[in-house]
Amino acid sequence: MYEEVKKKLRGSIAPVVTPFNEDETLDLATFCSLIDWHIESGSHAISVTGTTGEPSSLTIEERVLLMETAAKQVNGRVPFVPGTGSTNHQETLYLTKKAKELGADAALIIVPYYNRPSQHALYKHFKAVADAVDIPIIIYNIPGRTATNLHVKTLAQLSKDCENIIGVKESNKDFEHVNRVLLECGRDFLLYSGIELLCYPMLAIGGAGHISATANLVPGKVAEIYDAWQAGEVNRALNLHYELMPLNDVLFKDTNPAPLKAALGMMGKTKPVLRMPMDVPTKELQEEIRTVLQDYVEVVTNS
């Protein structure tokens, strides 16, 4: 039933930032221009309101507005995969139903954060959402931020019991874990890297692509890693992997998306505004970001 969508949900799914004006209101005009830039640059799909989109700093109404705006702007040009997860089960259901209503190709649903559910509770949570909303679901496992790791056995059981759970974004540095995902869930299960330095290695074990914050700065190069691999140009993909490593490194010297937004500000793409409790990087880190960034793109402002 989901074979066609699984074929097209491959490559670089760009997790677009949420731009704010100086007064911290949503900057929807910039948001739309960023989506266009991603598509024109070769990103294979668009995601919004995932970790890079600062969902915990947004109201539910703002998350819905961003999903609606993105769905209209994407307009079917590439697949659309909004983040609909929350620490609250009912909010997750509500947002996932909205994604379905908007015609999203899939929903990206994070492991609930802060609550630290058991594996049994995680199974019940994801199964209830999958049963309630007929939309392809990609689970988002990021234990470094949720304090809970979705075990491979739990994920495998969900993939067997819920036909619409079609993949997982693994922001998991345990490479043995991600290997076992495909062993237990099947090689046709969609495995995406959410760790920048694992985008290339995950393709080598059968991954479907990546959802990388770095795509916000160099969308063409991040997409090209997948394109080169698919074309059998292994050395080109490997060279891009190492070429992007310094940029990937500096972007995670503070909590994402603070360095990323600082870099986008330096590129003139958006204002480097975050909502508290997040804040811009220190001046020292901003200078380091600027120095590294200049090797990849034109830096157009010193602000």
Side-chain angles (χ1 to χ4, degrees):
M1 179 178 178
Y2 296 100
E3 291 310 308
E4 286 305 311
V5 73
K6 288 172 77 171
K7 287 179 183 177
K8 68 178 182 177
L9 283 175
R10 294 178 177 272
S12 175
I13 302 177
V16 183
V17 299
T18 298
F20 297 122
N21 295 303
E22 294 292 353
D23 61 0
E24 297 186 9
T25 56
L26 297 178
D27 183 352
L28 295 180
T30 297
F31 183 61
C32 290
S33 70
L34 289 173
I35 289 171
D36 286 343
W37 179 55
H38 274 289
I39 295 172
E40 292 161 5
S41 298
S43 293
H44 302 100
I46 296 293
S47 182
V48 301
T49 63
T51 300
T52 302
E54 299 172 75
S56 59
S57 296
L58 302 169
T59 66
I60 296 299
E61 292 76 19
E62 286 174 326
R63 290 185 68 173
V64 171
L65 177 58
L66 286 164
M67 288 197 297
E68 291 173 342
T69 303
K72 290 177 183 176
Q73 195 67 24
V74 172
N75 194 28
R77 289 179 287 171
V78 295
F80 174 49
V81 186
T84 62
S86 165
T87 192
N88 181 296
H89 179 73
Q90 291 302 321
E91 287 179 359
T92 301
L93 280 170
Y94 174 75
L95 290 168
T96 307
K97 288 175 180 176
K98 284 292 182 183
K100 168 71 175 179
E101 291 171 10
L102 291 169
D105 294 274
L108 180 67
I109 305 181
I110 196 169
V111 169
Y113 39 93
Y114 184 76
N115 291 328
R116 301 190 70 183
S118 68
Q119 295 300 304
H120 173 68
L122 288 172
Y123 174 87
K124 288 182 67 176
H125 168 69
F126 283 113
K127 188 173 189 304
V129 177
D131 288 347
V133 190
D134 181 20
I135 189 173
I137 290 171
I138 299 167
I139 292 176
Y140 180 12
N141 189 30
I142 180 168
R145 293 186 78 141
T146 64
T148 302
N149 186 33
L150 181 66
H151 294 176
V152 173
K153 294 290 186 184
T154 308
L155 179 61
Q157 194 62 52
L158 284 164
S159 72
K160 290 179 176 66
D161 295 346
C162 307
E163 188 181 10
N164 55 331
I165 294 180
I166 63 169
V168 63
K169 175 186 176 182
E170 282 285 358
S171 293
N172 197 323
K173 292 184 178 180
D174 182 348
F175 200 59
E176 180 179 345
H177 172 105
V178 298
N179 275 266
R180 294 190 183 282
V181 167
L182 292 182
L183 177 67
E184 298 291 340
C185 297
R187 299 274 291 278
D188 63 339
F189 195 68
L190 301 181
L191 171 66
Y192 303 94
S193 176
I195 298 287
E196 276 60 30
L197 296 190
L198 295 184
C199 290
Y200 171 79
M202 279 205 202
L203 293 175
I205 64 168
H210 31 265
I211 306 175
S212 167
T214 307
N216 280 278
L217 304 181
V218 283
K221 286 185 180 294
V222 174
E224 190 183 352
I225 294 174
Y226 178 82
D227 292 336
W229 178 264
Q230 284 299 106
E233 298 177 18
V234 176
N235 285 337
R236 180 160 66 100
L238 187 58
N239 288 341
L240 284 162
H241 167 74
Y242 284 109
E243 178 185 336
L244 291 174
M245 195 175 291
L247 183 60
N248 291 330
D249 286 345
V250 79
L251 290 177
F252 288 88
K253 289 195 172 184
D254 193 355
T255 304
N256 180 49
L260 184 59
K261 279 196 162 179
L264 284 166
M266 295 169 194
M267 293 169 63
K269 289 290 185 182
T270 185
K271 301 176 186 68
V273 178
L274 299 97
R275 288 176 175 174
M276 288 194 289
M278 298 291 286
D279 198 9
V280 296
T282 64
K283 289 184 179 179
E284 293 78 11
L285 180 53
Q286 288 186 51
E287 285 309 307
E288 186 176 353
I289 292 166
R290 185 186 310 280
T291 298
V292 173
L293 187 63
Q294 289 174 146
D295 289 336
Y296 297 89
V297 298
E298 181 180 359
V299 176
V300 296
T301 176
N302 289 319
S303 62

